[in-house]
Amino acid sequence: MSMMPVPEHEAVSRPIEPVIRLLLIEDDESIASEVSEELKTRGYDVTWVDNGILGLEAAQSGQYDLMVVDRMLPEMDGLSVIEALRRQKITLPVLVLSALSAVDDRVNGLKAGGDDYLTKPFAMEELAARLEALLRRPTDSRVTVLRVGPLEMDLIERKVSRSGRDVELLPREFRLLEYMMRRPGTVLTRTMLLEDVWNYRFVPQTNLVDVHIGKLRRKIDLHGETPLIHSIRGAGFSLRVSD
């Protein structure tokens, strides 16, 4: 009895995940090696240069999606690199690394055009989470003052006000409100908030979001004021100005 030929398996076409091209400008070889290896395991294509001038030239090429730059560099310091890029209207998201942790240093990093600021030493998990958050930011993330109706947030001075009334927020409340103000009118699910504001890689069974939204609402929407923070039944929350 003749055997029927066994057909060869057809090749299955699979979508290719986009590679995130990251430029790392760091003169400390041990830190650069550790960061590069960690990010490569997370799917990043990392290019490392060890001085500011080479870093600036690489960033100007337009080949990268994201940049991590040390503040203190030979040839040209990190903030000067960022300022040069911003003058050229290059909006490449930038995370600044620095051993300087004072508030003024962080403010200077943001004023120079950095999008986020991480002090050394740092945990690799936090670095990865901050990079993921930068990649998810809307394209208007370079603004320094956010406004939604009567609500205003100064990202440099870290101040919030509503109709001229100062609103005192804790750091997590500030971050939560910033996330909402960047997406006015959008329904934000609890999963989105846990992943993007708390940097959770999994979604635990928790009322954490509801508790913080409640605290934020009590500070933003005082008695007699038109509510800005709305609960969307079965969906999540939204920051919007009522029609």
Side-chain angles (χ1 to χ4, degrees), residues 95 126 134 155 169 203:
L95 172 67
E126 182 176 6
L134 282 183
L155 298 172
L169 298 180
V203 181

Side-chain angles (χ1 to χ4, degrees), residues 42-71:
R42 296 173 182 269
Y44 289 79
D45 179 9
V46 181
T47 298
W48 170 47
V49 296
D50 62 1
N51 74 72
I53 290 181
L54 290 178
L56 177 60
E57 292 174 353
Q60 290 170 330
S61 70
Q63 298 177 11
Y64 300 98
D65 304 301
L66 197 60
M67 185 171 89
V68 176
V69 58
D70 185 29
R71 178 161 181 174

